[in-house]
Amino acid sequence: MILSRGLAFTYPHGEPLRFADVSVAQGDTLLLRGPSGSGKSTWLALASGLLTPTAGEVVVSGQPVGRLSAAARDAWRARHIGFLPQKLHLSEALSVADNLGLVYFAAGLPLDKAAVAQTLQALDIAALAARKPSQLSGGQAQRVALARALLLRPSVILADEPSASLDDGACAASLNLMRTCANTLNATVVIATHDARVVQALPTAHVLAFNTRVTA
Ligand code: ADP
Ligand code: MG
């Protein structure tokens, strides 16, 4: 479940970004749709507690995110949010399996090798476990990043421009996989995109349009 009311954010020296209210039931999909620079990544950062709203609030899985203390925020994010960033940030020093293992370290949890293996299996990339990120295709690397996002069984999956570097086939496969995994977890999915293919592929999704930027 994601609710927002009067959500706004202003970067230092920036113009205020104000966001329309949303109400998305648990397990549904929300598309943040709008051109580059319209505030989609900022919205994702507010929903994951990486930024604190200037006004209003966003409530994710019952938690008003901006009200978490700085100390509690990272642990909350690790437990509840699966983030698929625009730049995948896979460590080239580590194998695919060890990149996933880092998730436990970041969350302050003991490594669960069985869960890593099981998640790689579920995403059909077990054969890539020992590879380094540079030995993966773009689509494979994104699958690894999706596996990393799903590892702790999040209630919300946030994806920033996931189709940007994918051809039509890989785009459809990636969205299908994300939706299938989300269904298994009953996770809510939020996808920031300016790609019309994503909107076509997810016809039942809620849409938050970012093209009308309201400035104060
Ligand atoms: P989108 O993801 O839709 O491309 P962003 O949320 O990245 O949009 O950016 C929204 C606006 O905020 C843009 O005008 C951008 O230049 C500005 N912005 C983004 N990040 C910062 C930052 N760290 N400092 C100042 N302004 C920023
Ligand atoms: Mg962005």
Side-chain angles (χ1 to χ4, degrees):
M1 184 270 315
I2 301 180
L3 294 172
S4 74
R5 295 182 214 99
L7 189 64
F9 185 79
T10 308
Y11 287 103
H13 314 298
E15 290 181 1
L17 296 162
R18 290 209 249 119
F19 305 109
D21 294 352
V22 296
S23 173
V24 181
Q26 188 61 34
D28 281 3
T29 300
L30 171 66
L31 299 181
L32 310 180
R33 193 184 179 190
S36 188
S38 59
K40 304 181 297 296
S41 296
T42 302
W43 195 100
L44 293 176
L46 292 166
S48 53
L50 292 168
L51 293 174
T52 303
T54 318
E57 68 176 359
V58 56
V59 180
V60 176
S61 299
Q63 173 65 52
V65 179
R67 285 194 222 157
L68 286 163
S69 69
R73 212 166 282 170
D74 289 346
W76 176 84
R77 185 183 314 115
R79 305 237 160 158
H80 296 278
I81 305 267
F83 198 65
L84 185 61
Q86 189 168 6
K87 286 188 184 167
L88 300 179
H89 297 297
L90 295 168
S91 172
E92 186 56 32
L94 300 174
S95 68
V96 163
D98 288 344
N99 266 282
L100 267 60
L102 269 187
V103 169
Y104 292 93
F105 183 71
L109 295 169
L111 174 63
D112 185 343
K113 281 192 176 179
V116 170
Q118 195 181 19
T119 304
L120 290 172
Q121 191 79 50
L123 273 71
D124 209 16
I125 47 174
L128 307 178
R131 290 205 198 168
K132 294 285 172 59
S134 62
Q135 298 170 315
L136 305 172
S137 72
Q140 287 171 335
Q142 198 189 50
R143 244 169 214 256
V144 171
L146 182 61
R148 180 182 58 186
L150 295 169
L151 201 51
L152 299 185
R153 307 180 67 78
S155 54
V156 180
I157 299 164
L158 305 178
D160 201 353
E161 307 278 4
S163 62
S165 60
L166 302 179
D167 63 29
D168 290 354
C171 171
S174 161
L175 293 171
N176 260 331
L177 183 64
M178 204 183 305
R179 242 344 311 173
T180 305
C181 293
N183 287 347
T184 309
L185 298 173
N186 190 34
T188 308
V189 176
V190 183
I191 302 174
T193 188
H194 63 267
D195 185 345
R197 298 176 301 176
V198 177
V199 184
Q200 279 161 14
L202 298 165
T204 62
H206 303 258
V207 176
L208 179 56
F210 281 66
N211 40 8
T212 47
R213 217 177 111 182
V214 188
T215 53

